[in-house]
Amino acid sequence: MARVIVHATVTLDGFLADADGGVGWMFGRPSAPEDDVVVENVMKNIGAIVGGANKTQTIDEGEIPYGGMLKVPVYLMTHSEHEPIERDGITYTFVVDDIAQAVESATQAAGDKWVSLLGGSISRQCLQLELVDELHLDVAPVLLGDGISLFAGLGQRIELERLETSAFASETHLRYRVLR
């Protein structure tokens, strides 16, 4: 059975992106082979992705999950019907207003692998609906002071169990199980 994970790189103050949606702060940091091993482990275990569609329901170059490195089904939340799009060997399926259905479809597609949830809104909604099994957070050593938060607006307490913690050259890697 697939595990549903929130997988995100965040700043130490909990932001996914700066106030304009920029993520340039993620890049150019020194890295150690151990950092790469953590990221590679997550990547090899992802079997499907759930994220949000853009307003035009297109797949623009900068919006491809994981930069297109993962050739897994992607389910995108939207408010209106749209036919699936195939691009570079990846099928993007649009799901109208039913995040539980998107996660269920992704879970079926992932098989024994993980479903990765992308974005703050998607992650918070799934946490509120108790659809998330684990959090996988890569924390970059930077404070933005303002930006797009991963958890702001969650509106409820969620207890976690620490499964794994590691820190190397570029990031601190945290893995938690969501307790129900």
Side-chain angles (χ1 to χ4, degrees):
M1 176 100 183
R3 269 189 271 171
V4 178
I5 68 167
V6 171
H7 181 231
T9 299
V10 296
T11 63
L12 187 58
D13 50 356
F15 295 110
L16 292 165
D18 65 27
D20 296 323
V23 294
W25 54 267
M26 284 187 198
F27 306 105
R29 299 186 180 287
S31 168
E34 295 88 351
D35 288 308
D36 298 335
V37 169
V38 172
V39 173
E40 288 168 10
N41 183 53
V42 172
M43 300 284 278
K44 77 177 182 185
N45 282 297
I46 293 173
I49 297 167
V50 175
N54 66 23
K55 289 181 169 78
T56 59
Q57 295 178 322
T58 57
I59 310 301
D60 294 332
E61 197 63 38
E63 299 171 338
I64 299 172
Y66 297 97
M69 293 187 303
L70 294 176
K71 304 297 185 197
V72 300
V74 177
Y75 297 85
L76 298 173
M77 296 306 304
T78 185
H79 296 297
S80 59
E81 297 278 336
H82 195 285
E83 289 298 313
I85 294 174
E86 185 163 332
R87 179 173 174 183
D88 299 327
I90 302 170
T91 300
Y92 299 85
T93 302
F94 295 87
V95 181
V96 179
D97 295 331
D98 190 344
I99 199 160
Q101 179 57 52
V103 171
E104 176 60 30
S105 296
T107 299
Q108 289 176 11
D112 290 334
K113 292 193 163 202
W114 300 342
V115 173
S116 178
L117 304 175
L118 299 181
S121 177
I122 298 295
S123 298
R124 289 188 300 274
Q125 289 175 64
C126 289
L127 282 163
Q128 290 165 339
L129 293 170
E130 298 185 354
L131 300 174
V132 178
D133 298 305
E134 293 182 7
L135 305 179
H136 294 237
L137 304 176
D138 301 313
V139 182
V142 62
L143 298 169
L144 291 181
D146 190 19
I148 299 170
S149 173
L150 179 56
F151 298 117
L154 182 60
Q156 67 189 70
R157 178 180 172 157
I158 296 177
E159 293 290 330
L160 306 170
E161 173 189 4
R162 185 175 52 84
L163 298 175
E164 188 176 351
T165 304
S166 59
F168 305 107
S170 66
E171 298 170 334
T172 301
H173 309 281
L174 306 171
R175 187 170 152 232
Y176 295 97
R177 177 181 295 121
V178 176
L179 299 177
R180 292 183 180 51

